[in-house]
Each structure stands twice: as C-alpha cells, then as structure tokens.
Amino acid sequence: MSIAKTKIGRRAFIKNTSLAGGGLVLGFSWLNSCKPKELGKLGGKEMPKEWFEINGYLKIGENGLVTIMSPNPEGGQNVKTSMPMIVADELDVEWKDVLVEQAPLNTDAFSFQFIGGSQAIRRGWPGLRMAGASARQMLKEAAAQAWQVPVAEITTDAGVLHHESSGKTSGYGEMASAAAQIEVPEEVELKDVNDFKIIGTSRKNVDGLKIVTGKPLFGVDTHREGMLIAMIVHPPAFGLKLKSVDDSEARNMPGIKDVFTVKVFNDGYEKTFFDTRTFNEVAVVVGNSTWEVMNAKKALKIECEPIESSTVSRDRFGRKYEETTPSGLESTNDHYAQMEAMAAKAGEIQRVDGDPEAAFKRAAKIVESTFTAPFLAHNCMEPMNFFADVTDEKAELIGPLQKPELTEQALSARLGLPLEKIDIKMTRLGGGYGRRSYAHWLIEAALISKKMNAPIKLVYSREDDMTDGIYRPAYHAKFRAGLDSDNNLIAFHVKTGGIPQSPLAANRFPAGAIENYLAEDWTIDTNLTVGSFRAPGSNFMASAEQSFLDEVAEVADKDPIDFRLELLDRAIKNPVGENNDYEAERYAEVIKLVKEKSNWGKSDPGIHRGVSAYFCHNSYAAQVLDMVIENGMPLVQKVTCAIDCGIVVNPDSAVNMVEGGIVDGIGNALYGELTFNEGIPQKNNFDRYRMIRMSESPKEIDVHFVKNQIDPTGLGEPMFPPIFAAVANALYKATGKRHYDQPFITEKA
C-alpha cells in the first residue's frame, strides 16, 4: 500500500455536518440528491431503511449496501460506471452491493466536474481513490473503537471488517453510523495496484438496462407538469444578425404562447473560452408542444443585416487573448484559396532544431506534400436541449452539458444570480465530444423560462444544430522531408494552420527524433464558430503527419512500421531538444504491439493495409487497417489497435470506447464535410451530411492494451486521430493514389 494525503487542495475534503441526520460529508457533497429508490433487491439485499453518509462520494446503508456518486457528466464514455468502480475498490466492497447515482453540479466541492480532453478518469483518479480509502479508514476506526483494539489490527474484505485475534467481524452497515462521526484522516493508505479487485475487471454499464428499455436518462426526456416547449430561430447565414422579426402569423397559431427575441450574452461581457456563441441574439417561439412550435417557426419572418467586424478580449483559463470576428459572407472556395495563400508565406516559428535550411540543401531527396481538411459538424444524436425553471430568486436547470461549472459561471453573470442560487443537474449526454462544451442553449433556456415565468424545455431541431455551430476548424498543412544518400531522414519541416485555429503541436513526434526540424504555423480569422471536436487539432495533424510519414518511408524504400520505429529509436537513444512532450519508449511499444497483433507483413491477397500511430491526450495509439475494394468502393475489413492509456479501469468499457472512436474516425475520414456558400451551411441534415453506415463499419476491431501500472491517462480521444491516416494509407495501397484532402471519398479534383 502507499500513503496519500487526503487534502488535495483546500476544498477537497471539507467536514460538513449540516445535512439531515448529522452525516459527515467530505467535500463532494452531492449526496443531498441521492434518495433511496424503489429498486427492490440489490445483490440479494433489501433496500436499506437508513443511509449513513460517510463522505461526499458515498453513503452506506445499515445492511451494507453502498451508494456511490459519479461526479462527472456521462457522455457515452462510461465514466458513470468507471469512476464509482475506483471508489468501490478502495472502499473494499463488492460491486454487487453498489448503487450508482449521477451527482449534480457542486462547484463548492469539486473543481473538475466536467468531461473534455480525455481527462475525467485521469484527473479524477487520485480523488476517487482517496474517497474510497478515507471511508474505509473511518470504518476501521469505528470498529477499533467499538472493539477496543488497535486500528492497525483491523482488516477489511468485501464490505466486512475483521479482527483476527479476537475473531470479531462486522459488516460495513453495522459500523456506518459510528464511522460517520469519525474525524477525516489526515493520511490514508491506498491499495497497491496488484491488490485491486474491481479496477481492471469488466463491469456492465450501470445505465445499460435503462438505455435498452427506454427509461428517462437524457436531457430531452425531462418533463415537468406545466412545462412549455421553446425553440429558437437564428439568422440563415454566418455574417448576419437579426434586424427585425415579423411574428404576426406565428403568434396566432394554435398552441403558441409567445414569440420574442433574447440576447444570450450582455454587451461588454468578457466571454471565456467556452462562452462561444455565433448568433448572440435569436428569435424564440414558445408553445404547448414541439409540433406546434415547429410549425410556428416556419411562419416566422425574420429580416437580417450584416455584422460589423469586431475584436474583443476573451479569457481562456486566466490567459487573455484577442478574438477578431470579420464581417462578410464566407464561402468554402475562398477558404481554401486563403489557406493556400497563407501556406505560401512565412509562418510563425514555434520550434526549430539544428539547421533545417542547410540540411534541405544537402539532402539527396526531398519529399513534399500538402494536406487539407474541411469544417466538420458534431451531429450528436440527441439534439441540443435543456430544461429551465427560473425565477428572480433561483434557477433550476436539467440537461446534457460537458462543462457545467464553467457554464454556471456564465449563467450567473447573465442572470445576476449568485452561484448558490443556481442548481444544475446533469443528465446523460446523447453525444458530445466538444459540442456540449459550449452550452449557450442552457443560457437561452434560462432566459426563456424567466421571460415566460414558467418551466420550459428548449429543443434544437437537427437543422438548428447543424447550421448554428460549433464546428471543427478547417485545416491546411504542408510537409517537407529531406533524406540523405543513405535514405536517412535528416530534415523535417511542417507549416500548418487553420480557420481560425492552428492544429500544430510543435513538440510532438517526429520532433525530438530529427536533428534538423522546423515547425511553424498561421491562422485566418472567420465569423464561423468553431470549437473542440474529438481530439482537437490532433484529429487533423495525425492524419496529415502519419500519411506523410508513409510517403517518406516509401521514398526511402523502408517498411512504414520499421521507419517509424527507426525514428523513435533515435528519440530514445539520442533525443533532440528538451521539450518533447511524448515518451518515445511508450510510443514505440504500441507500434511494436500492433505490428505483432496484426501479423504485419502477412496480409492476404486483396487485402490492403495501412498503418498509423499517434500520441495525444497523454496516451498512445497505433492501428493497422485492412481494406478491400468491392464494387469500386473501399470497405474496411478489420482494424487492429494497440493502446497505452495506463491502467484500464473497465476493460469492456474501454474496448467499446476504442471501437466507437475508430468507427467515428473512419466515417469522418471518408465522408465528413461541411461546406459554406455566402455564409450558409450547405448541409443541414443527414439527408446531405454523409455519416458512416452500419454496413460500412469494420467487420472486426481487435483491441489490445499495453499492460502497465501507470496511472490512467486518456482514452476518449487518443484512438480517434490515427485512424484517419490508417484509412488514407490503406487507400493508397488499394488504389495507387495518395489522398491528401479530406473527405477521401468526395475528394476535390
């Protein structure tokens, strides 16, 4: 076991005895929302008559059943199962005796209660373990006091306390009331990794039964008596704003209660990074039912006018930056011309090693390629929605979002309500990966409820969502590589940029593996709204970089896997620079593992193989993709994937996440694209925005995890970026044509 301090930050474990029943709460005081439900039996036990709150993560019934709160939003990555598993393991209870509840937002108790950046398990790992271990220690101390024996002689196993020499035993439930009165320990013993009983084993999704039986789980399921339905209407094109609204016909239609406009953020409000909003003023239709409101929307006549160029200051986690929004109506053809022009100019140098210019001059061979990627829409299956019941005194909100703490701060500023008067309850997300980070629709819902003086549910139509942002930026990258006469890579240059963000991570591989290396970038301002999209930036850079490395390997007459391992061997034995943000040994390990598991070099006739590997979000992924051509179209037969994400908490869940990311990546690589003409998105629903079909998904996905005892890193995103290049490299083997522009199936001429 290892000793750990329980006080991770001033607010981490705050004693609070103000709850009913005098239960002890250690920070994380979400248990107010956890009520015993009519669930019948669990693990052969009846539901407890009384619960004892041991700390903010959990409470224990008198019969030993345990309720564990899952702090972070659940977006399909299964943290609602995995996070309580960590607590339960350190608590030393059997999983069959555990109930799991979704915690509401509590900013006073926890500072990282959101999902994004593949950080939920990584950031939650120490606190989750300490919550379970501190509760276990308090139970041991309660038993020691009751039995008048040293606490060091008390052991635990499967929810039972033991004192070997006296033969005394007690279930956790029998000691729960006394344990709730014990002082929080200053230090706790954490289990040795080898002693985990729940972590590292596969457990079923705690929401599985509700999902398959259609029980209410998602924000769109929320219903309250007397609740009204609201929908918004925004300008039809980016670069426009509302001028006037003619609601004479709409407000007289059946079931319509009101039509008005709302301004999401007040003028002069300094927005944070996640306060992104394209159309700050929108028209609102409120009525009795979704159908009635949708019909009234069609009758609404809005007049728009051009926006003016503006530059404002924004705050990104304490770092101020200037954001310029240009006027005008933008088109995709112009975007690509602008990116080509920027690529021809000198960029802003972000890293330089050695003397790249001299190395290119003496190179025997130079390989040069340019890659592009379009804007992408998130297309979450559950449309954007939120329930709100707001008065002058308080605000209750229920729905799906990724960054509740940050959104609550923005809502507090907009409503003029203190944070303690705002209650946000999180529902399961029907898709996210960045889209639900920018929860302007929550603020819209709150403003609409306050205006109507009634509870409302705001629902976006598919068209509303797809034409209202938030998008993955459009990207462009130009690569150059110089080889000497022995086909050694001696120079590497990447110049990349985007509209409006750069995807460059200058200190990632192959930086550190090449003596002469240059990385530079640029950006172009836009009035299209962009934001996080599964593995931001990396989802393009992995595609471009890993496709280019295959091309360089071919010119060097080297196997693409051996070529990558050769570069990583350089980074291991003689790394260049001191700021490389990857561990070359771990990177090489996943490539070696995927080489072994895919039987690289032994493909069957008609099977075309592409390889790719990438590091992002603190984890490493390598993939080999097997493709066939049927009726002139590419079909993925199999993907073999190796991942190093540290300790895997729930293997089945982890495999599911990897499989989903791979399918998602293949679909975006082959088909994903959103274009614009005069500011108008050219696709607004699935009849035109091409998504991968079930029949186009890989027939088999074989997932392997590197086994180690490293604390968990990230998994929601790392497997996503490299699959783009695996598709491109397999396509080249299949067709003899390299694919430089996404999407690959509808590639520009």
Side-chain angles (χ1 to χ4, degrees), residues 443-588:
I443 298 177
E444 292 166 357
L447 295 172
I448 295 166
S449 173
K450 187 173 182 180
K451 166 79 172 176
M452 297 300 299
N453 194 29
I456 66 100
K457 181 166 67 178
L458 173 66
V459 181
Y460 275 34
S461 69
R462 176 64 56 195
E463 292 82 1
D464 293 333
D465 183 37
M466 202 177 291
T467 60
D468 195 27
I470 305 295
Y471 305 123
R472 195 280 299 269
Y475 294 124
H476 184 288
K478 186 175 183 179
F479 288 86
R480 283 195 303 155
L483 300 166
D484 66 13
S485 57
D486 294 324
N487 283 329
N488 295 310
L489 182 58
I490 61 171
F492 195 89
H493 177 202
V494 54
K495 183 191 294 183
T496 185
I499 304 176
Q501 299 170 356
S502 165
L504 180 65
N507 296 321
R508 286 188 190 163
F509 180 78
I514 304 166
E515 186 175 350
N516 304 288
Y517 174 88
L518 174 62
E520 51 184 328
D521 65 356
W522 46 265
T523 59
I524 297 172
D525 293 330
T526 181
N527 56 45
L528 306 179
T529 311
V530 303
S532 300
F533 187 103
R534 195 173 197 169
S538 299
N539 55 54
F540 169 70
M541 287 307 293
S543 175
E545 169 207 291
Q546 291 290 306
S547 295
F548 183 64
L549 287 180
D550 252 41
E551 192 170 358
V552 176
E554 182 181 50
V555 174
D557 195 26
K558 296 178 180 180
D559 176 87
I561 285 185
D562 293 342
F563 178 60
R564 288 168 171 82
L565 291 175
E566 174 189 312
L567 292 176
L568 286 165
D569 190 55
R570 290 193 211 171
I572 293 169
K573 295 177 178 176
N574 190 25
V576 179
E578 298 179 353
N579 296 320
N580 306 320
D581 65 359
Y582 61 96
E583 296 178 47
E585 294 89 348
R586 293 178 69 189
Y587 204 144

Side-chain angles (χ1 to χ4, degrees), residues 139-211:
L139 287 160
K140 289 170 65 176
E141 291 184 13
Q145 291 177 13
W147 299 336
Q148 294 296 293
V149 298
V151 68
E153 296 179 6
I154 305 293
T155 60
T156 63
D157 180 51
V160 178
L161 296 144
H162 301 272
H163 185 247
E164 184 176 355
S165 61
S166 68
K168 292 181 179 180
T169 64
S170 174
Y172 280 3
E174 298 171 63
M175 292 293 174
S177 180
Q181 311 307 315
I182 300 291
E183 287 293 327
V184 182
E186 289 290 328
E187 295 180 337
V188 293
E189 285 189 345
L190 300 179
K191 284 186 176 182
D192 185 272
V193 171
N194 296 316
D195 294 330
F196 287 153
K197 299 175 183 177
I198 297 175
I199 296 169
T201 65
S202 292
R203 306 291 166 157
K204 293 180 180 180
N205 187 323
V206 295
D207 281 340
L209 182 61
K210 293 180 181 178
I211 292 171

Side-chain angles (χ1 to χ4, degrees), residues 334-346 476 495 522 524:
D334 295 333
H335 287 155
Y336 282 108
Q338 291 168 358
M339 290 194 291
E340 289 287 346
M342 290 297 292
K345 302 176 183 178
H476 184 288
K495 183 191 294 183
W522 46 265
I524 297 172

Side-chain angles (χ1 to χ4, degrees), residues 534 655-665 701 719-720:
R534 195 173 197 169
V655 169
N656 291 342
M657 190 159 15
V658 173
E659 291 174 342
I662 286 172
V663 173
D664 189 17
I701 299 177
M719 89 300 291
F720 182 68

Side-chain angles (χ1 to χ4, degrees), residues 682-736:
Q682 296 302 285
K683 301 171 185 177
N684 63 11
N685 211 320
F686 294 136
D687 59 332
R688 298 191 64 191
Y689 196 105
R690 182 75 157 84
M691 303 286 285
I692 192 169
R693 310 286 195 256
M694 292 292 291
S695 62
E696 296 162 340
S697 299
K699 303 299 181 289
E700 180 183 355
I701 299 177
D702 187 20
V703 181
H704 302 271
F705 294 98
V706 175
K707 292 180 173 59
N708 56 43
Q709 295 187 354
I710 298 170
D711 286 355
T713 50
L715 188 56
E717 289 155 296
M719 89 300 291
F720 182 68
I723 198 66
F724 288 74
V727 172
N729 293 333
L731 275 171
Y732 172 67
K733 297 292 181 61
T735 66

Side-chain angles (χ1 to χ4, degrees), residues 355-363 366-367 480-482 490-493:
D355 190 343
E357 183 177 354
F360 275 110
K361 286 181 179 178
R362 69 173 184 269
I366 293 178
V367 186
R480 283 195 303 155
I490 61 171
F492 195 89
H493 177 202

Side-chain angles (χ1 to χ4, degrees), residues 56 112 117-118 126 130 193 204 293 373 503 625 682-683:
F112 197 82
S118 298
M130 288 179 192
V193 171
K204 293 180 180 180
V293 172
L625 181 144
Q682 296 302 285
K683 301 171 185 177

